[in-house]
Amino acid sequence: MSDIQITIDSTQVEALLSHLTGRLDHLQPTLETIGYTLSENIRLTFRDLKSPDGVAWKQLSPVTISRRTNHSSVPLNDTGVLRNSIAYQMTGQAVEIGTIEVQAAVMNYGAKQGAFGKNKRNAPLPWGDIPARPFMPSEHLPTIWQDDVLDKVKDFLGIVE
């Protein structure tokens, strides 16, 4: 039996891997792009009146509509404060997206009447049930949002399909 010897020139592969490794030290622009993209996707839930997964928000009750200063029937869009508060920030090699508005969790997850106790006049807080109107993804990113993020990463890495 004769010996077979194969020589592989891996110079190009090593150069490409070195280039990619070097890029990983400069993730901030890509993370900024991802943060902006996801923030915009969240803002679109307010326009579309749907959860990130595409489930329509519950309509406002007639009582809630009557209590609004402009009598608007559009959920979570009375003043625009919550929608406009969606922001992202860089934290090391990650990006965080959220809001500082205190009502955000209740609007996103809902609350039962009286869940927060009672006010000075012994009335329940909140005064009625607040249905969940999810605007933030909770357990996972919707597939289309994941695709947006993957496209940004592929752009960063120079991957062309």
Side-chain angles (χ1 to χ4, degrees):
M1 196 177 232
S2 65
D3 288 341
I4 298 176
Q5 189 172 17
I6 298 173
T7 303
I8 298 174
D9 181 3
S10 62
T11 306
Q12 289 180 328
V13 172
E14 289 173 14
L16 180 59
L17 290 174
S18 177
H19 173 72
L20 289 176
T21 302
R23 295 208 56 173
L24 295 178
D25 291 334
H26 306 288
L27 288 175
Q28 185 164 356
T30 300
L31 292 175
E32 291 268 351
T33 301
I34 290 169
Y36 176 80
T37 300
L38 292 176
S39 295
E40 286 302 304
N41 284 343
I42 292 167
R43 284 187 195 94
L44 289 175
T45 66
F46 290 86
R47 182 198 72 190
D48 299 339
L49 308 177
K50 294 180 180 177
S51 74
D53 291 321
V55 177
W57 290 344
K58 293 197 185 294
Q59 295 296 312
L60 295 177
S61 73
V63 173
T64 299
I65 294 169
S66 71
R67 293 180 73 146
R68 288 179 145 194
T69 55
N70 65 0
H71 302 292
S72 167
S73 63
V74 183
L76 303 188
N77 282 280
D78 191 29
T79 64
V81 170
L82 182 56
R83 177 189 66 241
N84 294 331
S85 73
I86 303 300
Y88 66 92
Q89 69 180 11
M90 305 301 297
T91 57
Q93 296 286 20
V95 63
E96 293 178 351
I97 302 161
T99 175
I100 60 169
E101 296 301 320
V102 295
Q103 76 273 27
V106 170
M107 298 298 112
N108 196 68
Y109 299 109
K112 292 289 184 191
Q113 179 181 27
F116 306 121
K118 297 185 179 201
N119 66 14
K120 294 176 190 175
R121 291 181 274 166
N122 207 30
L125 295 173
W127 53 267
D129 290 344
I130 299 174
R133 294 185 178 94
F135 56 90
M136 296 281 288
S138 56
E139 295 179 18
H140 66 278
L141 286 180
T143 302
I144 193 164
W145 293 23
Q146 289 178 36
D147 292 344
D148 285 346
V149 170
L150 287 174
D151 287 345
K152 304 306 180 216
V153 172
K154 287 176 185 175
D155 288 348
F156 171 72
L157 295 174
I159 297 172
V160 180
E161 294 180 348

